[in-house]
Amino acid sequence: MNAPPKAIAGASTFVDDRIGAGNFLKRNLRKIFPDHWSFLLGEIALYSFIILLLTGTFLTFWFKPSMGEVTYTGNYAPLYGVKMSEAYASALHISFDVRGGLLIRQIHHWAALLFVAGMMVHMLRVFFTGAYRKPRELNWIIGILLLTLALLEGLTGYSLPDDLLSGAGLRITEGVILSVPIVGTYIAFFLFGGEYPGHDVISRFYTIHILLIPGILLALISAHMILMWVQKHTQMPGKDRTEKNVVGAPFYPAFMIKAGSFFLFTFGVIALLGTFAQINPIWLFGPYTPADISAGSQPDFYMGFLEGALRVMPAWEINFLGHTVALSVLIPALVPLGIIMTGLALYPFLEQWITGDRREHHIADRPRNNPHRTSIGIAGITFYGVLWLLGANDEISANFHISLYTTTWFGRIAVFVGPAIAYWVTYRICIGLQRKDAEVLAHGVESGVIKRLPNGQYIEVHVPPAEDIAEHIRGKKEIPILEGAEDAEGIPPKGARGPLGRLRAKMSRAYGTDHVPLPDGHHEEVHEAEHAGVGAGDRKELH
Amino acid sequence: MTEQNEYPESSRVPTRVIGTPPADAPIVDTDPVRAPEGVPGVIPQDPVKARRAERLVALLFLITFLAGAAFIASYVIFQVGTIDKTATSNYALGGTLALALLSLAVGLTIWVRRIMPKYSLVQERHEMRSDDDTREYVKETFLQGAEESGFLKHRLLRRTLLLAAAPLGLAPLVLLKDLGPLPGTALRHTVWGEPTKDGKPRRLVVEGTGQPIRAADFNSPGGILSVVPEGYEEDLNALAKATLILIKFRPEELKSGTNLNWTYDGIVAYSKICTHVGCPAALYEQTTHHILCPCHQSTFDAADGAKVVFGPAARPLPQLPIGIDEEGYLVAKSDFKVPVGPSFWERGDAEAEAREKAS
Ligand code: HEM
Ligand code: FES
């Protein structure tokens, strides 16, 4: 092809004459995107969000966010003649009277789950590879805002159909709001337009769910993408990859089509789930009434850890001077979420404070190479995971025939002990993996060839590792350590004075000390000398 | 940005077969010596294999076309309505949609992996910060602008501007006030305390059927009913606080926690609204007399004033004083003596206050 087709040439000339788009395209058409499976995780979240926008808009065409009472006369026979809210009736209408309505409803719900799950694993990969480090702290903070908003978005969406299950979630929300000291009662009355459940909350949640939060999400996701575009991707360590370059495929044409196909994959899988995996069958639950509840009801997975926290909490409550602080509600509702979100938000800055590392980082860490960070992450996951499991302790108790109270007690202990154990185990594993890496560089990999030496000894011949693997391993970076030593006059440097300074210096040493330094570049000669005359490949004694 | 990764004009791409890396080999593994000369980082595919891949991709695109057409056909053919019809329509629409999307996705993937070249292009990165000259320029411009605007020099202007902004900033918050009424003492009362039209005590009626309950008929020990106030059977606001759980005991089963004056013939009424965060505490175990809230498993001993025996709820379920009217139907003798449901800031130790008042 010598010239672009007329249609494209004409249109692009038109646009370029008016806004000079050519300059932008010149810089960006061949922008390089590095390749790694874990970079797709964020994309899952992104595409799920797009699917949510599309399916959500479809649903708004029929959904009626009203708590006004109607008598159901639609197609779903078991509920014929039952009094219910207009919201519930319209959700039933979408499910049974609109062609494709049930499908879109289920796709919307599955996409919501995938959206949150995608964000969570994406965030974990950013955390464990240290991709949040300078200059990407802003995108990290945006990400945390996105995750928090997504949880709120899920909560408001879940409440809209006004079935018995969603009402239970709403009731718990109200109870939690009531527990907030001083202003809780007022917030509850303002949110519900008076006493619970009132007649306003569905229409208010509707506005929040379809306008307010999606608008903010859209703005933040755009900012997230722009920053990612400007700062370029991190890349995994490897051959020819440095802090100063990006190695990969160009946006046009390769990445563009890859991204398109990944969007279709995401959509296709969600469509499969929406078709064959029933989700939130609201018609089985019946309309909401505060007097009833279906036993064994479960919230969406991302609310599970809050549910679990509420379940394990002992019954603490303080009364003083005619006021009540319901710690048994307040602590589980705020503390775990607070620890996790605040901890995540502060982590890049705490790490910088401890390591004194102000450099830019574009090569992603392998999790093993920063064992303390990785252990903190796994401890956090364990903390979250224990609470999450506890959110289903009634199911666990029923399925495994363990007493309900035993599971609760187990949870109360495990929520503290579990993370500590996880920390220790992860740390050991990281160090072990680092040893293995050092081993591979120093002695090569087992070739499977056994050799008999003249003196009768058997050895396995080791060959040097493949170049890309070796480069991947050599990508390990040392973690800077603050200068904590005292100078000649016995005065510690500025940052390490006072108790806080000393703690900082100590943590810095613990965080940064490399217990398994990789053999340096010269190891080959050293090694060769040790085993001189034993043949081509490196080798090791057979144990 | 660099231009070093220019895509070569396709005519110049050498079409070599021998020694080209297999399609699925990792890019970095490619021996650079064997890559086609003059085009570092862009490794074309074997044209023969590419043509084979093209046929496969075309087949997949065709499947997408057919599945898309089938989707539209399903919309026309399968009507909804009954559960079965809806299910069929759902499977037909969803199945064809998923097939269309997935087969298109697979097609595009094969296109990228088997027909497009492999890339290992390199692009330079630059530090994010601007250079010192730029920073200096921006700083000076900022200061100059601040100076020119007069914001610094004119103190009155600055202060009155801040003053002017304050009420405007508050206005949106003020506007939100009418979102709801103030709580007042609403959470302290339930409709059990409201006078009835004819001035008689309010009857307890069975949830769902609305039947009043004759004490003499509710006579098998261990029996349990979910109960709502007569006249408010469908008022959700009322039910959210006033729903009861009614249990019949043998007299000797009741312990000191239960106020016997508020029972009638071994029949006790507790608030069904869990004191934790308000779920209906709907499960009852006859043998242990335990009321279990399904939400977070707070467990209350119904024989002993519904005191908490396990779980996160901090207070017993409040007991409602009940008796019978002249026709023998169960009625509320008064409202609850303490607020029902979850704790809230203004609640205080209502139980202690109630005890004080009683003694
Ligand atoms: C609405 C939800 C989100 C969407 C749609 C989204 C999307 C993406 C995408 C597509 C990328 C590039 C691919 C990748 O690195 O995986 C990215 C990069 C990034 N995301 Fe997100 N993300 C979301 C949430 C989050 C969250 C929850 C965090 C962390 C708290 C986060 C932090 C980051 C960071 C720091 C980068 C840059 C990393 C790099 O360049 O390698 N994002 N995001
Ligand atoms: S609402 Fe009853 S235990 Fe939480």
Side-chain angles (χ1 to χ4, degrees):
Chain A
M1 191 160 56
N2 295 323
K6 271 232 178 59
I8 293 180
S12 51
T13 309
F14 180 90
V15 174
D16 189 50
D17 285 349
R18 279 154 190 84
I19 60 174
N23 286 322
F24 175 78
L25 292 180
K26 179 182 165 197
R27 274 184 281 119
N28 288 307
L29 272 181
R30 297 293 272 183
K31 193 179 181 67
I32 297 304
F33 282 80
D35 204 12
H36 191 264
W37 63 266
S38 68
F39 297 164
L40 296 177
L41 300 172
E43 290 185 45
I44 295 183
L46 178 63
Y47 302 144
S48 305
F49 182 67
I50 296 172
I51 295 165
L52 285 167
L53 289 181
L54 294 174
T55 52
T57 307
F58 177 91
L59 295 175
T60 62
F61 295 153
W62 289 274
F63 182 73
K64 297 198 178 67
S66 151
M67 296 172 92
E69 198 181 74
V70 294
T71 305
Y72 182 69
T73 53
N75 264 325
Y76 181 66
L79 286 176
Y80 192 89
V82 173
K83 287 194 185 135
M84 56 181 62
S85 70
E86 235 186 316
Y88 184 54
S90 68
L92 289 175
H93 177 76
I94 294 173
S95 306
F96 289 105
D97 303 79
V98 177
R99 277 177 280 174
L102 179 61
L103 180 66
I104 301 292
R105 250 199 68 233
Q106 305 210 101
I107 289 182
H108 191 71
H109 204 128
W110 274 114
L113 299 189
L114 216 67
F115 177 52
V116 181
M119 257 195 286
M120 285 177 173
V121 281
H122 166 56
M123 189 184 70
L124 290 178
R125 101 106 175 104
V126 170
F127 180 83
F128 284 117
T129 58
Y132 56 77
R133 286 173 299 175
K134 189 179 168 188
R136 295 186 177 76
E137 301 98 322
L138 291 176
N139 235 3
W140 173 253
I141 302 279
I142 291 178
I144 287 161
L145 286 176
L146 283 171
L147 185 58
T148 316
L149 283 171
L151 296 183
L152 273 179
E153 178 72 355
L155 182 77
T156 50
Y158 195 75
S159 304
L160 290 181
D162 203 24
D163 58 283
L164 194 54
L165 202 57
S166 82
L170 203 53
R171 178 94 224 205
I172 295 174
T173 311
E174 188 236 14
V176 168
I177 294 175
L178 280 182
S179 77
V180 176
I182 307 175
V183 291
T185 321
Y186 289 83
I187 298 179
F189 271 64
F190 286 166
L191 178 65
F192 290 92
E195 285 201 69
Y196 177 88
H199 289 96
D200 297 321
V201 69
I202 298 275
S203 45
R204 289 177 184 175
F205 270 20
Y206 185 64
T207 311
I208 296 174
H209 183 76
I210 71 152
L211 180 71
L212 193 60
I213 299 182
I216 303 175
L217 280 177
L218 195 60
L220 287 177
I221 290 176
S222 309
H224 199 74
M225 295 292 96
I226 292 172
L227 285 183
M228 189 267 299
W229 189 277
V230 169
Q231 296 177 330
K232 304 198 175 89
H233 249 292
T234 53
Q235 58 191 348
M236 285 292 168
K239 186 161 166 281
D240 296 335
R241 301 183 190 181
T242 71
E243 292 283 5
K244 297 233 165 284
N245 71 9
V246 202
V247 179
F251 177 74
Y252 173 81
F255 186 78
M256 216 170 79
I257 300 194
K258 252 194 237 174
S261 82
F262 198 59
F263 169 70
L264 292 168
F265 266 122
T266 313
F267 203 167
V269 168
I270 294 178
L272 271 186
L273 286 167
T275 311
F276 296 104
Q278 186 181 66
I279 187 163
N280 205 14
I282 49 164
W283 55 93
L284 298 180
F285 307 138
Y288 178 62
T289 153
D292 275 316
I293 187 153
S294 52
S297 52
Q298 291 290 321
D300 273 349
F301 87 92
Y302 45 83
M303 286 291 155
F305 84 108
L306 285 175
E307 177 85 1
L310 282 167
R311 290 181 183 193
V312 282
M313 186 66 198
W316 297 349
E317 183 163 298
I318 301 176
N319 283 297
F320 67 99
L321 305 174
H323 291 297
T324 300
V325 184
L327 295 177
S328 62
V329 183
L330 207 55
I331 291 180
L334 298 183
V335 174
L337 192 66
I339 290 179
I340 292 173
M341 291 301 185
T342 321
L344 285 172
L346 292 182
Y347 199 85
F349 306 102
L350 288 177
E351 188 179 60
Q352 261 172 41
W353 184 70
I354 285 174
T355 58
D357 187 355
R358 300 271 185 279
R359 298 167 302 173
E360 284 193 2
H361 290 276
H362 302 290
I363 297 271
D365 278 333
R366 297 171 76 210
R368 69 187 62 174
N369 289 337
N370 192 329
H372 280 288
R373 177 204 290 147
T374 304
S375 305
I376 290 171
I378 300 286
I381 294 179
T382 310
F383 175 70
Y384 183 95
V386 168
L387 291 179
W388 189 76
L389 276 180
L390 260 290
N393 68 339
D394 45 351
E395 310 275 329
I396 295 175
S397 148
N399 287 332
F400 298 98
H401 306 286
I402 307 167
S403 125
L404 200 58
Y405 304 148
T406 312
T407 62
T408 308
W409 271 108
F410 171 80
R412 284 175 184 172
I413 297 166
V415 83
F416 294 105
V417 178
I421 296 176
Y423 190 100
W424 187 80
V425 171
T426 311
Y427 190 82
R428 298 319 311 170
I429 292 177
C430 286
I431 297 293
L433 288 172
Q434 286 193 32
R435 290 222 174 90
K436 211 178 109 225
D437 285 350
E439 180 91 337
V440 166
L441 285 189
H443 302 288
V445 290
E446 294 163 6
S447 65
V449 178
I450 310 284
K451 216 174 175 176
R452 188 172 176 217
L453 298 188
N455 62 9
Q457 193 189 11
Y458 285 98
I459 57 159
E460 180 173 5
V461 177
H462 280 232
V463 296
E467 197 189 358
D468 56 338
I469 295 178
E471 286 296 329
H472 192 53
I473 294 175
R474 279 202 201 95
K476 173 175 172 181
K477 292 269 163 34
E478 110 286 8
I479 306 164
I481 299 179
L482 281 180
E483 204 49 69
E486 297 164 4
D487 63 13
E489 277 119 89
I491 301 170
K494 216 145 132 242
R497 279 176 219 158
L500 190 63
R502 275 196 298 279
L503 176 71
R504 184 181 170 196
K506 212 167 162 186
M507 288 203 293
S508 186
R509 235 171 297 131
Y511 198 82
T513 303
D514 189 354
H515 294 286
V516 194
L518 291 182
D520 60 15
H522 310 292
H523 80 279
E524 242 112 39
E525 290 106 87
V526 179
H527 201 76
E528 241 30 336
E530 268 171 22
H531 297 272
V534 183
D538 283 357
R539 63 192 178 101
K540 214 176 93 180
E541 290 194 359
L542 197 64
H543 307 289
Chain B
M1 304 294 139
T2 72
E3 264 70 66
Q4 69 193 60
N5 46 33
E6 290 294 292
Y7 192 5
E9 284 161 33
S10 47
S11 57
R12 272 177 37 215
V13 178
T15 54
R16 63 189 310 251
V17 183
I18 307 153
T20 340
D24 48 1
I27 296 169
V28 286
D29 212 18
T30 315
D31 186 346
V33 183
R34 289 194 187 170
E37 278 157 54
V39 203
V42 180
I43 304 124
Q45 303 281 357
D46 170 357
V48 176
K49 285 199 189 135
R51 217 157 307 127
R52 214 177 306 142
E54 184 189 2
R55 281 196 290 276
L56 189 57
V57 173
L59 177 69
L60 287 160
F61 287 178
L62 207 64
I63 292 177
T64 297
F65 167 76
L66 293 175
F71 178 86
I72 296 173
S74 308
Y75 188 85
V76 179
I77 295 167
F78 299 107
Q79 301 301 315
V80 288
T82 67
I83 299 183
D84 287 336
K85 278 160 102 182
T86 305
T88 313
S89 154
N90 185 57
Y91 288 136
L93 290 172
T96 49
L97 177 67
L99 181 62
L101 294 169
L102 288 174
S103 129
L104 191 56
V106 176
L108 292 179
T109 308
I110 296 177
W111 178 13
V112 174
R113 300 189 60 132
R114 299 270 169 82
I115 300 179
M116 277 190 211
K118 300 265 148 208
Y119 294 96
S120 182
L121 296 177
V122 181
Q123 199 166 42
E124 297 303 313
R125 251 183 222 286
H126 306 283
E127 226 188 343
M128 293 314 298
R129 83 189 285 276
S130 351
D131 57 42
D132 290 339
D133 288 347
T134 311
R135 285 192 175 193
E136 190 57 28
Y137 173 81
V138 170
K139 187 174 119 198
E140 272 160 21
T141 315
F142 173 76
L143 292 176
Q144 187 191 344
E147 200 57 44
E148 285 166 5
S149 74
F151 190 74
L152 299 175
K153 207 158 52 192
H154 300 278
R155 212 171 48 177
L156 195 58
L157 172 117
R158 201 164 64 224
R159 296 204 168 155
T160 47
L161 179 64
L162 288 180
L163 188 69
L168 283 181
L170 276 178
L173 282 182
V174 173
L175 274 179
L176 290 181
K177 163 61 194 67
D178 277 353
L179 275 177
L182 296 182
T185 57
L187 290 180
R188 299 191 166 269
H189 313 293
T190 71
V191 294
W192 290 115
E194 307 269 310
T196 50
K197 259 183 259 135
D198 47 10
K200 290 187 192 142
R202 190 174 299 281
R203 278 181 180 166
L204 280 61
V205 300
V206 178
E207 187 209 338
T209 65
Q211 286 293 320
I213 305 149
R214 202 190 293 274
D217 297 341
F218 187 51
N219 54 9
S220 57
I224 172 173
L225 277 177
S226 186
V227 166
V228 296
E230 184 174 35
Y232 289 94
E233 293 87 346
E234 266 148 33
D235 180 336
L236 298 192
N237 279 15
L239 296 187
K241 286 189 302 184
T243 307
L244 303 177
I245 179 166
L246 197 68
I247 305 172
K248 165 86 180 173
F249 287 97
R250 281 189 205 91
E252 69 275 14
E253 288 171 334
L254 286 172
K255 299 193 197 119
S256 62
T258 310
N259 188 332
L260 292 180
N261 294 333
W262 295 350
T263 63
Y264 179 82
D265 191 22
I267 301 174
V268 194
Y270 295 112
S271 164
K272 194 180 177 183
I273 309 304
C274 184
T275 55
H276 180 221
V277 286
C279 287
L283 306 177
Y284 183 65
E285 202 177 34
Q286 258 189 30
T287 47
T288 55
H289 307 305
H290 283 175
I291 301 171
L292 181 82
C293 176
C295 278
H296 315 102
Q297 292 123 24
S298 289
T299 311
F300 307 88
D301 185 352
D304 197 5
K307 72 166 196 232
V308 183
V309 288
F310 192 82
R315 289 176 289 99
L317 299 169
Q319 188 186 345
L320 182 77
I322 54 168
I324 53 168
D325 61 11
E326 60 269 29
E327 290 172 61
Y329 289 110
L330 289 173
V331 294
K333 289 203 289 193
S334 77
D335 199 353
F336 289 99
K337 299 298 182 201
V338 297
V340 301
S343 299
F344 51 98
W345 172 251
E346 295 87 352
R347 187 180 192 278
D349 195 349
E351 279 75 7
E353 281 165 39
R355 266 192 307 266
E356 234 162 71
K357 221 184 280 169
S359 61

